[in-house]
Amino acid sequence: MVLPSRRVKMRILKLHTHYQQPGGEDSSFAAEVALLQERGHLVRPLVFHNKDLEGLPPWRQAGLTLWNREAYRRVREAIREHRPDLLHVHNTFPLASPAVVHAAKAEGVPVVMTLHNFRLLCVNALFFRQGRVCEECLGGLPWRGVLHGCYRESRPASAVVAGMLTLHRALGTWNLVDRFIALTAFAREKFLQAGFPPEKVVVKPNFVHPDPGPGEGRGGYALFVGRLSPEKGVFTLLEAWKRLGGRVLLKVVGDGPLMPEVARLAQEVPGVEVLGRKGPDEVYALMGEASFLVFSSEWYEGFPRVLVEAFAKGLPLLASALGSHGSIVDHGRTGLHFRPGDPEDLAAQVEWLLTHPVELAQMRKEARAEYEAKYTAERNYERLMAIYQGVLEGGR
């Protein structure tokens, strides 16, 4: 096989299983496909849709999660037609199943896999249970995840996921992957703790393209953008604003299962405005005028796109000091940290930002500089090509 240099265009098969509702992984997959195609690479997306599981009996859904013979066939067929240099897998759960890795290897094609979450280590992929971080299954078989019903609060459903993880550990499926891409150094460390070989796990973050350009930050308000669900720390956020007593307006953008309760509580807390779901352009406009963005998540996020979007707009971040997002935000330079789940500390950090306008203005510059240094399309492309090239050279 002739190895393509970084200047030679590659043939890449990109595989992803879409969730039933659009999410961050879907956006990252689409952005990466576009990035490669814009630079002339021959990219064939191979997409599975989890909505195809609807209407199937539970036993059939379980069987497809463990090993999807049709997905295996489709991958082998796509490889023979497209003749890719490598297969890049973004998500196999649940419809595609890890069988797609075996299909690529049967055709002699290297495999790269992006680790968007902790699915290979945790039944619910979040390391989050009953309102707190949980690592009970890290490094071992995920039987506790079944006991706790961690996937969809169902022991039978959790047993299917745990069965998939156990089966493919036994089959050595993950050993067949040539390179894993973790989105942050924190995530990489978790996979190393679980026993993944260090030489196979590299770090490449998400990115934002096109560049939305920096904002001015003249709106004088704080901003929250995210799903309104328990793990996002929305109750901590509202409790902190209750303590602030209307010192600064908080605009809440997003939707989710807690929307009715958040809307009700917002009427009782001074200085909170719930805007609901907004389109990308509207979110960028709000980011451009906000003073800072609050990221109150209380679980190990993968790599929230909203953080990079904030950096691109030159928007400082007030983030919980937890997991990946705690490491993404440089305390005192691109924003501030607060103790996760602690409304008193969150309120105190907001007060600091409000009383230090000079430092806040400098954080705006540093946030934008962070985007330009790490999260542009060009920087991401360079990293991705280095990863692909390393895989191909390693297989010579």
Side-chain angles (χ1 to χ4, degrees):
M1 179 177 66
V2 178
L3 297 173
S5 72
R6 295 179 191 177
R7 293 182 297 275
V8 175
K9 305 310 177 186
M10 293 186 184
R11 305 179 72 92
I12 305 157
L13 182 62
K14 298 275 281 187
L15 185 147
H16 181 54
T17 303
H18 276 304
Y19 288 103
Q20 289 164 309
Q21 295 180 344
E25 295 178 31
D26 295 343
S27 300
S28 299
F29 171 77
E32 208 166 270
V33 169
L35 177 71
L36 291 165
Q37 289 176 335
E38 286 173 5
R39 284 155 178 77
H41 297 284
L42 301 175
V43 182
R44 175 173 173 177
L46 182 58
V47 179
F48 298 82
H49 294 271
N50 282 331
K51 63 179 176 60
D52 293 341
L53 292 170
E54 296 175 1
L56 296 179
W59 65 267
R60 178 62 175 149
Q61 293 187 28
L64 292 173
T65 300
L66 293 171
W67 185 281
N68 188 333
R69 288 184 295 177
E70 176 62 17
Y72 179 90
R73 183 195 64 78
R74 283 182 60 187
V75 169
R76 295 196 68 171
E77 184 178 89
I79 288 173
R80 291 167 184 171
E81 291 179 356
H82 187 62
R83 295 177 291 108
D85 295 299
L86 56 83
L87 168 68
H88 187 164
V89 176
H90 284 258
N91 176 42
T92 68
F93 183 81
L95 182 57
S97 84
V100 299
V101 175
H102 291 266
K105 286 302 176 176
E107 295 293 334
V109 172
V111 178
V112 175
M113 178 179 287
T114 296
L115 302 166
H116 287 281
N117 53 37
F118 299 105
R119 176 71 65 195
L120 305 190
L121 313 179
C122 170
V123 168
N124 69 11
L126 307 177
F127 283 141
F128 188 81
R129 181 174 65 85
Q130 295 181 340
R132 61 179 179 83
V133 169
C134 172
E135 295 185 0
E136 287 188 19
C137 295
L138 179 60
L141 294 176
W143 62 267
R144 293 183 182 86
V146 180
L147 181 65
H148 298 310
C150 289
Y151 182 66
R152 296 187 174 180
E153 299 182 350
S154 166
R155 285 181 177 176
S158 298
V160 171
V161 180
M164 180 270 291
L165 295 175
T166 303
L167 170 65
H168 287 283
R169 287 184 195 180
L171 292 176
T173 301
W174 317 132
N175 296 332
L176 300 178
V177 177
D178 297 273
R179 199 77 80 244
F180 295 95
I181 299 177
L183 301 181
T184 65
F186 175 86
R188 179 179 186 269
E189 182 58 32
K190 289 300 172 190
F191 282 93
L192 298 191
Q193 289 177 28
F196 281 58
E199 67 276 8
K200 279 195 172 186
V201 188
V202 299
V203 177
K204 183 190 76 66
N206 288 335
F207 65 101
V208 169
H209 180 68
D211 179 0
E216 298 293 332
R218 296 175 180 173
Y221 57 83
L223 183 66
F224 171 90
V225 179
R227 179 172 166 80
L228 302 182
S229 53
E231 70 275 8
K232 292 294 187 178
V234 291
F235 293 133
T236 299
L237 179 67
L238 293 173
E239 182 60 33
W241 246 256
K242 184 185 295 185
R243 294 168 185 258
L244 289 166
R247 282 272 286 125
V248 60
L249 174 64
L250 170 67
K251 295 189 178 187
V252 178
V253 175
D255 200 354
L258 296 182
M259 171 56 102
E261 195 166 358
V262 169
R264 180 183 62 80
L265 291 174
Q267 295 178 351
E268 304 171 3
V269 179
V272 177
E273 181 182 353
V274 180
L275 303 180
R277 187 187 299 274
K278 295 292 181 183
D281 291 341
E282 294 173 292
V283 172
Y284 277 139
L286 288 164
M287 284 183 169
E289 294 304 312
S291 295
F292 55 90
L293 184 137
V294 184
F295 191 82
S296 52
S297 195
E298 296 173 6
W299 69 287
Y300 294 160
E301 298 267 2
F303 196 111
R305 184 178 172 85
V306 67
L307 301 186
V308 187
E309 291 172 338
F311 282 150
K313 297 300 295 184
L315 181 60
L317 286 153
L318 179 48
S320 52
L322 179 70
S324 296
H325 46 279
S327 62
I328 292 168
V329 179
D330 188 356
H331 182 76
R333 186 175 69 85
T334 60
L336 295 178
H337 292 158
F338 70 92
R339 290 187 294 273
D342 188 339
E344 184 174 352
D345 190 40
L346 173 53
Q349 301 303 324
V350 172
E351 287 280 8
W352 191 94
L353 289 173
L354 295 176
T355 54
H356 291 78
V358 174
E359 290 85 349
L360 182 59
Q362 181 61 31
M363 286 180 184
R364 295 193 69 86
K365 297 178 182 178
E366 294 292 342
R368 175 63 189 184
E370 190 80 347
Y371 166 74
E372 293 175 348
K374 298 180 180 179
Y375 305 120
T376 63
E378 192 55 41
R379 290 284 185 267
N380 205 273
Y381 176 72
E382 291 171 358
R383 290 191 185 194
L384 186 58
M385 285 296 100
I387 292 168
Y388 287 172
Q389 191 73 16
V391 167
L392 296 177
E393 290 175 353
R396 188 185 306 210

